[in-house]
Amino acid sequence: MPVTLLSLIFAALLTGAVANPDVGEMKYLTTLVSPNYPDPYPYDTTQEWILETAPDEKMTVLLYSLELERFWDMLSFTHISHQDNIVTSYRLGTNAVTSLSLASGHLSVHFCSDRVLDLNGFALNIFTADNHIPTNESDIGDFICESETQSISYSSRCDMIVDCHDFSDEVGCGVCPDDSFHCRETDVCILPGLQCDGWQDCPHGDDEEICETLKCPAGCSCGESPFNEGHGPQSQPCSKPTWLSFWVNCSNTWNGDYAKNTAIKSTVINLSGTPLYENLEVSSFYGLHQLHAFYLDSCQLEYLPPGVFRDQNRVWRMALFNNSLTYLENGTFEGLTNLRALYMEHNLISRLDEGCFRGLHSVFIFDLESNKLSDLRHGTFEDLGGSLERLALEANLIRSINSSLLAGLENVLQVVNFQGNPIVEIAPESFTQMQALEDIHLLSAKSISLYPEIFKFGPSFQTVLVFDPRMCCIMPDGVTCTIIEPPHPLFTCRKTFLQNNTVKVFIWILGISALIGNAIVIYMRLTGKSKSSAIASIQSTLITNLAAADFLMGVYMVILAVMDLVIGDTYFWEGRAQEWRSSLSCQIAGFMSFLSSEASVFLVTLISVDRFICIIFPFTLRRLTVGSARLAVFMIWIASILLAVGSILVNKLNPDAYSLSDVCVGLPLIRKLTDLNSEIDAYTYSQFGHTRYNIVASSSISTWQFSIAVFLGLNLISFLVILVSYIAIFFKVRLTRQEVGRKAAGSSDDVRMAFKMLLVVGTDFFCWMPIIVLGILVQADIIILSSDVYAWLVVFVLPINSSLNPFLYTLIERIQK
Ligand SMILES: *[C@@H]1O[C@H](CO)[C@@H](O)[C@H](O)[C@H]1NC(C)=O
Ligand SMILES: *[C@@H]1O[C@H](CO)[C@@H](O)[C@H](O)[C@H]1NC(C)=O
Ligand SMILES: *[C@@H]1O[C@H](CO)[C@@H](O)[C@H](O)[C@H]1NC(C)=O
Ligand SMILES: *[C@@H]1O[C@H](CO)[C@@H](O)[C@H](O)[C@H]1NC(C)=O
Ligand SMILES: *[C@@H]1O[C@H](CO)[C@@H](O)[C@H](O)[C@H]1NC(C)=O
Ligand SMILES: *[C@@H]1O[C@H](CO)[C@@H](O)[C@H](O)[C@H]1NC(C)=O
């Protein structure tokens, strides 16, 4: 930003000069700044200040910041001298003026700007002094205009832009170059672009004389209009009141001859939809210096000859979208020094030659969406490094992102969009150097490998929009990470398959103890001597089957433990969670766990109901016999297998109704986010009329109806049955005790068995109940469980019962003896 630097240096030197007693006595009068300085000024500003000095005082205006947008913003001073009432106007539009030293009098300062928030405006100090303040030429490198009332930075001398109100900075500069405008009766030359721009630049005003203002090429429609799209020449009050923007709309064709037959003052050329592919030549727009908006979209353009925009240094908006451009050559955009918005989306660009963005010093937004860019050379965009804040690269073919891609834009780029690229790799530290970067849209449907250091950002970073929710897990603190669609409900930020070492150790212990314990129980029951009583025999059958169910839970846990060893860290960093969830191992594990859970819930219910019938209706004939118990158990296994098979099928057919989590069970403890809203990116819209969207999810719905039906519905009913049975048994026993006396009631085999089985039933009940209650709370949208809590519940609360049961059986055996 050379202008800023320069003015900073001047500011430093000037404030130094003020403090320097050698320079003379100065009294501070006032400071004038553009509204909102030092933040960019608001648009459509016009502001006026009036200052007056005492008759014997001089007035010195020191500009410590003058950052006006060339052509469109204007700071002007009108000075009326007390002594002779001479009116002098100073126009400051170019950042070159450094100070004014005026005789005593009346000073009015007028500022106007257009709508685009671009540079900072101005800040100036005004002093009064009783004698002339000598400006030290060698100190600040200034050029003092001939009238000695104005000084400008030396670099602006002979630049063909008049800065001194008396034209003296452009006098004596030698022969006028060919393409400049030679002012009548002087040796002042001005840039061709200053001709017919509504402002008099020549001493005699001849630059505004022969403008043929309404010249329109045959076959086109043209017209004057005060409309300026918020940027560019204004009808009032920044430019001359009589000066209006000039439109040229053509739809047949366009070439250099058209340009020659078009008024020099044309400000907008709209060739949108005009087939130009063969006609665009280097000279197509020569001589049109006042253009500030260019519409060359949908023109079937295949090639832009370098130099075609040579004369267009006022253009701020260029639309080149929906053409067939395939590459950009060195120098294509030469001349577009004030271009702010460049739209090249929907082309076929695959090659960006070195130097293709040469000369684009001001581009703020650059849209390259939907092109064919793949491998981008190191520092492709570095020529835009002075100004580019928004870069749209969505829907290209970029496969890898690394720090060299955006090299050169470190200090300016604020928003970059990579949405819809087939990105397979993001190199570590790709964004570390980006000092100004605030927002990245990093969407990629692929699971890519991540590294801990990928997302190291510069100090300005605020938001990132991603597709892969894992990326949000490794964002630095303070960064807002938005996921384009809600992640899998069970997505977690865990870096490894099982959370931590405690879980890893416990899952091995619980798994192996469930396997061994239940295996022993089954072996003992099968080989042990057959039970003498029917009750004992039935209980033995039920317990053997319960042990078989718990054994399956052990298998499930060991599968998870082994998979943890196999998957480990790659689970997160290589994004293998989804792969694991849909793997055969996970489906087998899920089947086992589902089967085991349901079989044990039903078996426990059967045990309770059996006890209930025996105790409440001791004389009924409908109590379980050994045969009917076997049949019931058989039915339970069939039902459980059907449910478990169902879960796997539903998982495949309709993942919304049931899907496997990382631990391969889908408990209904999670809701699904829905209602994606698009939010308009207000800043881009207000500045450039360009619509961009950010996406947010706003609500959630119940999901996994299958899981709700089984785990909350069926299981809750089973546990209510169990609860009711045992409450009934409890009261019945108390009642009987009161009626018959302590001894009689306690000695009943049935009752004893009921209380023994309470151990098994109760632990199962207490392992399940929290999950059911949580499930109801979650589905009622009262609480939200994190996926990590979920995994703890599934890995611990449910299986712990299976590991515990063998010990409980042993305990029961002991009580029996
Ligand atoms: C201007 O600056 C030069 C070099 O810094 C110094 O020698 C000279 O005295 C200054 N002149 C005035 C009028 O301050
Ligand atoms: C050129 O087209 C623009 C947009 O369609 C329109 O606003 C303008 O009035 C047109 N100018 C002429 C002279 O037809
Ligand atoms: C350019 O002209 C086309 C048709 O002539 C019109 O649809 C379009 O709105 C114009 N664009 C602008 C920005 O005026
Ligand atoms: C793109 O350009 C073609 C002509 O080249 C035109 O037919 C089509 O309507 C344009 N599409 C859009 C979206 O502007
Ligand atoms: C681009 O063109 C300019 C002017 O012709 C030349 O100076 C420069 O070296 C070229 N750059 C490359 C990379 O070819
Ligand atoms: C960045 O990636 C490109 C390929 O896309 C590669 O050619 C280049 O060497 C990489 N640069 C660095 C610094 O890794």
Side-chain angles (χ1 to χ4, degrees):
M1 242 181 253
V3 176
T4 323
L5 261 182
L6 214 61
S7 48
L8 275 178
I9 292 167
F10 282 134
L13 289 169
L14 281 169
T15 35
V18 174
N20 183 354
D22 291 351
V23 178
E25 272 307 308
M26 298 209 288
K27 276 187 295 175
Y28 170 77
L29 180 64
T30 185
T31 296
L32 299 184
V33 295
S34 48
N36 287 6
Y37 179 89
D39 298 327
Y41 44 78
Y43 51 79
D44 288 333
T45 295
T46 63
Q47 196 117 358
E48 181 132 18
W49 297 267
I50 312 270
L51 297 165
E52 196 79 38
T53 50
D56 55 344
E57 278 180 330
K58 288 191 77 85
M59 197 182 286
T60 300
V61 181
L62 293 179
L63 292 122
Y64 60 83
S65 168
L66 185 57
E67 291 187 43
L68 300 182
E69 201 189 346
R70 170 107 174 265
F71 307 123
W72 317 127
D73 301 334
M74 191 65 76
L75 182 63
S76 47
F77 291 79
T78 309
H79 175 251
I80 306 170
S81 154
H82 279 320
Q83 208 182 343
D84 42 20
N85 275 346
I86 289 178
V87 180
T88 322
S89 294
Y90 300 88
R91 241 174 60 208
L92 279 55
T94 62
N95 307 328
V97 177
T98 54
S99 73
L100 298 174
S101 180
L102 308 167
S104 67
H106 173 101
L107 181 68
S108 73
V109 182
H110 181 246
F111 170 61
C112 74
S113 83
D114 71 355
R115 189 178 125 168
V116 168
L117 313 178
D118 203 330
L119 301 170
N120 286 329
F122 68 90
L124 51 86
N125 282 331
I126 299 181
F127 295 88
T128 57
D130 44 16
N131 60 354
H132 184 77
I133 309 291
T135 325
N136 195 335
E137 205 173 314
S138 48
D139 250 1
I140 54 179
D142 270 6
F143 173 80
I144 300 177
C145 303
E146 201 181 322
S147 70
E148 296 200 347
T149 57
Q150 186 179 16
S151 50
I152 63 168
S153 61
Y154 207 91
S155 57
S156 297
R157 166 139 171 87
C158 293
D159 63 353
M160 296 198 281
I161 299 168
V162 176
D163 293 297
C164 287
H165 71 109
D166 57 11
F167 307 94
S168 55
D169 60 318
E170 300 301 325
V171 171
C173 295
V175 185
C176 288
D178 273 351
D179 62 349
S180 65
F181 184 85
H182 189 175
C183 296
R184 191 171 65 211
E185 296 164 26
T186 61
D187 66 347
V188 174
C189 336
I190 57 169
L191 290 176
L194 299 175
Q195 197 193 349
C196 300
D197 66 348
W199 290 96
Q200 285 190 8
D201 293 280
C202 287
H204 301 292
D206 43 318
D207 57 319
E208 298 297 315
E209 274 168 13
I210 349 160
C211 289
E212 299 172 277
T213 47
L214 302 180
K215 198 161 83 174
C216 185
C220 301
S221 62
C222 312
E224 272 188 315
S225 140
F227 181 60
N228 72 353
E229 296 192 336
H231 194 297
Q234 314 227 337
S235 54
Q236 283 202 48
C238 283
S239 351
K240 291 283 167 68
T242 50
W243 199 87
L244 293 170
S245 308
F246 186 62
W247 291 80
V248 180
N249 295 355
C250 299
S251 52
N252 294 330
T253 182
W254 183 272
N255 56 41
D257 290 337
Y258 278 66
K260 283 188 199 123
N261 288 311
T262 302
I264 298 178
K265 70 164 283 194
S266 307
T267 41
V268 179
I269 284 194
N270 181 356
L271 303 178
S272 173
T274 308
L276 288 179
Y277 48 101
E278 284 164 349
N279 300 333
L280 213 54
E281 47 202 55
V282 187
S283 62
S284 280
F285 304 106
Y286 275 10
L288 299 175
H289 297 283
Q290 302 301 334
L291 292 177
H292 80 277
F294 234 121
Y295 297 95
L296 288 172
D297 53 289
S298 309
C299 291
Q300 299 169 43
L301 283 173
E302 287 168 10
Y303 175 62
L304 290 174
V308 64
F309 303 119
R310 193 184 64 177
D311 284 346
Q312 266 68 53
N313 70 345
R314 291 196 182 201
V315 170
W316 79 282
R317 179 200 274 266
M318 167 86 72
L320 281 164
F321 57 87
N322 190 26
N323 281 300
S324 307
L325 300 170
T326 53
Y327 64 98
L328 298 177
E329 272 182 67
N330 180 10
T332 300
F333 296 112
E334 207 172 356
L336 294 167
T337 47
N338 286 299
L339 188 66
R340 297 288 284 156
L342 178 53
Y343 300 110
M344 301 198 76
E345 61 269 31
H346 297 285
N347 275 286
L348 305 169
I349 300 170
S350 60
R351 207 181 91 200
L352 297 172
D353 288 355
E354 214 169 325
C356 65
F357 301 128
R358 198 156 46 83
L360 293 174
H361 299 312
S362 312
V363 173
F364 168 96
I365 184 166
F366 187 12
D367 194 340
L368 272 168
E369 180 182 344
S370 300
N371 276 288
K372 304 251 177 278
L373 297 171
S374 52
D375 287 331
L376 290 169
R377 172 173 51 73
H378 175 92
T380 300
F381 301 105
E382 67 188 347
D383 285 334
L384 303 168
S387 57
L388 188 67
E389 290 184 10
R390 270 142 211 265
L391 176 59
L393 287 171
E394 57 261 58
N396 275 285
L397 303 173
I398 298 170
R399 293 172 56 78
S400 88
I401 295 178
N402 60 31
S403 54
S404 78
L405 179 63
L406 299 175
L409 301 176
E410 287 85 356
N411 296 320
V412 286
L413 192 69
Q414 292 179 2
V415 179
V416 59
N417 193 337
F418 291 109
Q419 185 166 347
N421 281 285
I423 294 170
V424 292
E425 188 200 352
I426 301 177
E429 316 233 334
S430 291
F431 307 106
T432 317
Q433 300 303 318
M434 307 300 293
Q435 296 300 314
L437 196 62
E438 291 174 2
D439 188 351
I440 309 182
H441 293 206
L442 249 190
L443 299 163
S444 160
K446 296 245 158 77
S447 285
I448 63 171
S449 289
L450 299 180
Y451 313 87
E453 324 81 51
I454 280 187
F455 298 115
K456 278 195 182 160
F457 297 110
S460 317
F461 204 77
Q462 291 165 0
T463 55
V464 58
L465 182 65
V466 299
F467 187 93
D468 188 338
R470 288 179 305 146
M471 293 182 178
C472 286
C473 302
I474 51 171
M475 287 295 157
D477 289 346
V479 169
T480 310
C481 189
T482 311
I483 307 169
I484 192 106
E485 49 183 50
H488 188 280
L490 283 169
F491 170 77
T492 84
C493 282
R494 284 200 320 272
K495 302 294 183 293
T496 61
F497 180 58
L498 294 174
Q499 289 94 317
N500 52 39
N501 289 335
T502 318
V503 177
K504 286 176 211 260
V505 169
F506 268 90
I507 201 165
W508 277 111
I509 293 176
L510 290 178
I512 289 177
S513 78
L515 277 186
I516 295 176
N518 289 298
I520 292 174
V521 169
I522 296 169
Y523 177 78
M524 306 269 281
R525 299 271 161 182
L526 290 183
T527 56
K529 56 179 173 27
S530 57
K531 291 286 178 283
S532 46
S533 77
I535 296 180
S537 171
I538 290 169
Q539 292 311 319
S540 176
T541 308
L542 292 177
I543 283 177
T544 311
N545 281 282
L546 208 48
D550 290 340
F551 183 82
L552 291 180
M553 192 58 96
V555 174
Y556 160 76
M557 280 191 286
V558 169
I559 293 180
L560 286 197
V562 169
M563 283 326 285
D564 173 55
L565 292 182
V566 175
I567 298 176
D569 279 7
T570 64
Y571 166 81
F572 180 85
W573 298 109
E574 289 174 18
R576 290 180 64 188
Q578 193 63 47
E579 180 194 329
W580 159 245
R581 282 185 210 119
S582 48
S583 68
L584 186 63
S585 324
C586 189
Q587 289 180 33
I588 292 173
F591 177 83
M592 298 271 183
S593 160
F594 207 107
L595 178 58
S596 157
S597 308
E598 288 317 296
S600 57
V601 168
F602 294 153
L603 285 168
V604 165
T605 312
L606 181 65
I607 291 171
S608 312
V609 171
D610 172 46
R611 289 299 95 208
F612 174 79
I613 296 174
C614 291
I615 292 171
I616 307 292
F617 310 108
F619 307 111
T620 175
L621 292 173
R622 287 180 178 275
R623 52 189 300 171
L624 274 185
T625 61
V626 176
S628 60
R630 289 207 170 128
L631 183 66
V633 167
F634 178 73
M635 299 300 286
I636 282 175
W637 280 107
I638 296 291
S640 305
I641 288 173
L642 287 180
L643 281 174
V645 168
S647 78
I648 299 301
L649 284 181
V650 176
N651 173 44
K652 279 217 184 303
L653 301 177
N654 182 4
D656 262 356
Y658 179 81
S659 64
L660 296 180
S661 67
D662 289 346
V663 281
C664 306
V665 190
L667 291 181
L669 297 180
I670 304 278
R671 288 167 69 82
K672 183 177 173 173
L673 294 173
T674 51
D675 283 352
L676 300 184
N677 291 332
S678 307
E679 273 179 0
I680 280 193
D681 177 357
Y683 181 69
T684 309
Y685 187 73
S686 72
Q687 281 284 285
F688 297 96
H690 201 67
T691 329
R692 304 229 149 268
Y693 293 98
N694 303 324
I695 292 173
V696 264
S698 64
S699 67
S700 61
I701 52 163
S702 286
T703 183
W704 295 352
Q705 294 83 351
F706 182 78
S707 165
I708 294 177
V710 174
F711 291 121
L712 296 190
L714 212 50
N715 288 8
L716 183 62
I717 293 172
S718 304
F719 284 111
L720 288 179
V721 168
I722 293 171
L723 196 63
V724 169
S725 306
Y726 267 92
I727 289 175
I729 291 172
F730 180 73
F731 279 110
K732 170 83 181 193
V733 169
R734 273 189 63 161
L735 214 65
T736 328
R737 276 179 181 171
Q738 279 164 2
E739 283 171 1
V740 189
R742 277 164 204 277
K743 258 188 159 180
S747 63
S748 152
D749 255 12
D750 282 333
V751 174
R752 238 181 331 130
M753 188 60 86
F755 282 95
K756 277 188 227 159
M757 292 319 278
L758 186 56
L759 267 180
V760 175
V761 172
T763 47
D764 208 46
F765 183 85
F766 284 111
C767 285
W768 268 104
M769 241 7 195
I771 288 178
I772 292 178
V773 171
L774 281 176
I776 292 171
L777 291 178
V778 167
Q779 295 304 335
D781 212 1
I782 293 170
I783 57 166
I784 294 173
L785 278 193
S786 83
S787 313
D788 285 326
V789 172
Y790 180 98
W792 276 87
L793 285 173
V794 178
V795 171
F796 276 121
V797 180
L798 282 189
I800 210 160
N801 187 40
S802 308
S803 315
L804 216 55
N805 277 345
F807 300 103
L808 296 178
Y809 306 145
T810 319
L811 208 62
I812 291 170
E813 294 288 321
R814 303 239 154 176
I815 297 171
Q816 253 166 355
K817 280 170 193 164

